[in-house]
Amino acid sequence: MTTLSARLSDADEPHGSHGAASSLIGFIGPGGDTVPLSAHAFGSKAAQLWRMNALGLNVPPAFVLSTALCGKAHGEKRLGALLDQGIAYLERVTARGFGDRRRPLLVSVRSGAEKSMPGMLETVLDVGMTAATTRGLMRLYGNPRLAADCRRRFIEGYCEVVAGLPRGPFEDLLRGILAAEDVTSDRELDPEALDRLAGLYLNLARDRFGTAISEEPMDQLRAAAEAVFRSWDAPKAQDYRRLNHLEDLSGTAVTVQAMVFGNASARSGSGVAFSRDPATGATGLYADMLFEAQGEDVVSGRRQPVGLGRLEAMLPDVATQLADGVGALEVAYRDVQDVEFTFEDGRLFFLQTRSAKRTPRAALKIAVDLVAEGVRTEAEGLALLDGIDLSQVGTTRFTGTAVVAARGVAASPGTVSGRVAFDGEAAKRLSEGGEPVILVRPDVATDDIAGMALAAGVLTRVGGRTAHAAVVARQLGRVCVVGCAALVIDLDSRSARLGPAEVREGDWLSLDGDEGTVFVGRRESVVDRPEADLATVAGWTARAR
């Protein structure tokens, strides 16, 4: 293994004084690029990281591999040298070593195309975890549970993303450990149980799938970077680009960033915040988060997040810094922002910002409000509404009364009735009859994008308003209710229970995405049109003519 001192003495200095306009690698952080990284060359994620850093927000240092390397043979030849150069930069600015036994550097390996594709491309966290660095992380933080949890997370993520192994067998092992320890969540597992789980994961990968994970950190990093590049051609990514007319994009960049640990302590966590409500357009911070969690826990939709109130109660300074930072980003970009963040032992870090995906109704209100606030001109307000059929914008509501079968979290507004489908294949089959479909899932992974595109509504047992799937549902204009704890699905019988009620595939179900309520059977709806906002936009159009 190359030592930290050797890396620092042999590495090229980053080209901070020259910028990264014509390079295959860019740097974000102390001594990094002084010229902004372009979204075309380095992806929108890296471009926004650079700008957040320039605005003075607390951003973990990172290096970025260009979109030009995606799917290119010459990229494979140069990848090793570029990774060496980038890791040397991170080691220098963090004073940690990649693979070091005392002060280990761990990194996240993230995707980033020129246009945002939420949840469609892959991420690998905690890269650099080995038996040696697990002990080093324990020494560095004095926290055996953090080290064991990161090791377990890395193995699980590597097997799923890099090796392409199915998630189910690993979830079965997790459920077995939870049952043996008599707990209900991985957050309740002690270091010994987490270490045992990591060993079970490794044995499963090796014995059942023939997959071994290298104990050499640079091997892990290269494999993770190649996997992120490969994710560009995954079916879900291709479906998303087709649905959103993004076929002309050239590929994804790869951002390698120093890890910060939302799972470090009870004063740590991760979340997603919107500067305004992306479902309705209402002003005010809109956020979901989890304590003692890494970012993927929130956006994956596999865990049930909590709202901003918990953060305000437990860490008011972090909540204030978050609100101030998100507000500053909206001012800088002059648009509603979708921000990912992590806080480690009470210290806040900003990991990503992008223009928020929003429903058509929210887009209308946001455009009208930004013009009224003097943030945008009328012409710019019209540009924000480009591609939206304003004649179809409205909010549906149910007429009459009915018994609520279950309640969840309102994630995308409106009302809808449709036939129950438990997967994308059923959604396709049922929608061919011309009737609306509601996709009902334990959680909605972004792999379900094709089924979501066919459905009129989405209902899940777990997940939050800011999970990638909820973001995509809003963008597609689908009514969405998540976190419906009363929902119990039995795929073997193709049925589900909602409290005392039972529905089978093909039965009618109704969702209210404003109230987060679920009804058995079909209901009638009426449309409320936002006439005042529509009249305002009509005035802009008349003046533009």
Side-chain angles (χ1 to χ4, degrees):
M1 182 182 297
T2 307
T3 64
L4 172 59
S5 60
R7 284 192 191 283
L8 295 181
S9 62
D10 294 342
D12 294 332
E13 286 294 310
H15 47 281
S17 59
H18 305 294
S22 61
S23 174
L24 293 175
I25 187 169
F27 300 89
I28 302 166
D33 286 286
T34 57
V35 175
L37 301 182
S38 79
H40 176 72
F42 291 100
S44 61
K45 184 175 296 182
Q48 312 315 349
L49 279 173
W50 187 94
R51 190 168 184 189
M52 286 195 294
N53 184 69
L55 288 169
L57 298 179
N58 194 22
V59 174
F63 69 90
V64 195
L65 305 178
S66 169
T67 58
L69 298 168
C70 186
K72 307 296 191 300
H74 73 271
E76 293 181 11
K77 295 176 183 178
R78 299 202 58 181
L79 187 57
L82 292 169
L83 292 173
D84 280 339
Q85 185 182 357
I87 284 295
Y89 167 73
L90 290 183
E91 288 181 322
R92 181 167 62 83
V93 298
T94 63
R96 296 189 183 187
F98 198 50
D100 191 80
R101 294 171 178 270
R102 293 287 176 179
R103 294 184 56 82
L105 167 68
L106 301 183
V107 297
S108 61
V109 182
R110 301 177 184 271
S111 58
E114 181 179 358
K115 298 289 180 63
S116 176
M117 296 174 56
M120 297 301 143
L121 304 174
E122 297 296 355
T123 292
V124 187
L125 301 181
D126 302 303
V127 176
M129 287 301 303
T130 66
T133 57
T134 299
R135 292 191 293 273
L137 196 67
M138 194 183 309
R139 295 187 192 101
L140 186 63
Y141 279 83
N143 186 339
R145 192 189 186 283
L146 170 64
D149 191 37
C150 289
R151 175 73 161 158
R152 183 266 305 190
R153 288 171 179 271
F154 165 68
I155 295 168
E156 184 177 13
Y158 188 98
C159 288
E160 183 177 347
V161 175
V162 179
L165 304 184
R167 203 172 77 207
F170 294 90
E171 291 180 335
D172 290 342
L173 289 177
L174 173 59
R175 282 192 289 268
I177 287 284
L178 294 178
E181 297 294 311
D182 195 25
V183 296
T184 59
S185 165
D186 56 353
R187 295 174 62 191
E188 301 172 88
L189 293 176
D190 62 26
E192 186 278 331
L194 288 168
D195 188 59
R196 188 161 17 106
L197 181 60
L200 292 173
Y201 283 170
L202 287 172
N203 292 339
L204 173 66
R206 182 189 64 242
D207 298 340
R208 181 169 169 182
F209 298 106
T211 296
I213 301 177
S214 174
E215 284 288 291
E216 174 57 53
M218 288 305 297
D219 290 344
Q220 296 176 5
L221 178 59
R222 178 165 186 141
E226 289 173 342
V228 172
F229 279 133
R230 283 198 306 273
S231 70
W232 180 254
D233 292 319
K236 66 178 180 180
Q238 295 186 49
D239 285 342
Y240 184 91
R241 292 197 294 275
R242 175 179 52 80
L243 290 167
N244 292 278
H245 311 293
L246 298 175
E247 292 92 342
D248 59 336
L249 296 183
S250 58
T252 182
V254 170
T255 298
V256 180
Q257 192 168 31
M259 282 291 302
V260 288
F261 300 104
N263 54 332
S265 69
R267 290 170 44 82
S268 305
S270 295
V272 178
F274 291 80
S275 55
R276 304 186 190 211
D277 189 327
T280 67
T283 56
L285 193 64
Y286 174 106
D288 278 348
M289 53 145 305
L290 285 165
F291 283 95
E292 297 182 79
Q294 293 188 344
E296 286 299 297
D297 296 330
V298 181
V299 299
S300 70
R302 298 173 195 169
R303 287 178 57 180
Q304 192 64 42
V306 297
L308 188 62
R310 287 281 297 278
L311 183 63
E312 292 171 334
M314 295 186 66
L315 295 170
D317 289 346
V318 172
T320 299
Q321 293 166 23
L322 176 65
D324 291 346
V326 173
L329 288 168
E330 179 175 293
V331 170
Y333 285 96
R334 300 192 305 136
D335 195 10
V336 178
Q337 294 299 291
D338 169 359
V339 180
E340 294 184 17
F341 63 92
T342 286
F343 49 100
E344 180 185 304
D345 283 329
R347 187 182 181 197
L348 179 65
F349 295 86
F350 289 86
L351 303 182
Q352 178 172 318
T353 192
R354 58 191 169 199
S355 291
K357 308 296 183 186
R358 61 204 76 173
T359 64
R361 175 65 188 93
L364 174 62
K365 177 170 175 52
I366 288 165
V368 169
D369 286 351
L370 290 177
V371 172
E373 294 163 13
V375 175
R376 294 279 190 166
T377 65
E378 291 182 358
E380 290 171 332
L382 288 172
L384 288 174
L385 298 172
D386 186 44
I388 295 176
D389 183 357
L390 295 180
S391 68
Q392 300 299 312
V393 172
T395 302
T396 58
R397 58 181 172 83
F398 288 131
T399 58
T401 60
V403 176
V404 175
R407 296 183 183 274
V409 177
S412 186
T415 56
V416 67
S417 294
R419 294 194 179 275
V420 171
F422 291 114
D423 54 38
E425 285 298 316
K428 180 179 180 181
R429 184 180 69 254
L430 291 167
S431 64
E432 287 172 348
E435 292 179 317
V437 170
I438 293 178
L439 186 64
V440 179
R441 301 282 289 160
D443 60 79
V444 178
T446 47
D447 291 354
D448 295 314
I449 178 70
M452 292 173 67
L454 293 169
V458 179
L459 173 66
T460 72
R461 186 177 190 278
V462 297
R465 306 170 300 172
T466 57
H468 282 320
V471 171
V472 173
R474 284 193 291 272
Q475 183 184 13
L476 292 172
R478 306 303 187 250
V479 176
C480 185
V481 176
V482 298
C484 181
L487 173 65
V488 179
I489 298 173
D490 184 347
L491 291 178
D492 291 335
S493 66
R494 309 300 285 183
S495 66
R497 297 200 67 82
L498 290 158
E502 182 179 14
V503 292
R504 295 190 172 275
E505 196 157 69
D507 288 351
W508 284 91
L509 199 66
S510 298
L511 305 180
D512 187 328
D514 292 286
E515 300 295 330
T517 47
V518 185
F519 305 86
V520 174
R522 190 172 189 175
R523 298 193 63 186
E524 297 298 320
S525 296
V526 296
V527 179
D528 293 328
R529 299 263 291 158
E531 300 296 350
D533 287 346
L534 289 168
T536 298
V537 174
W540 300 349
T541 303
R543 285 187 285 276
R545 289 172 180 162

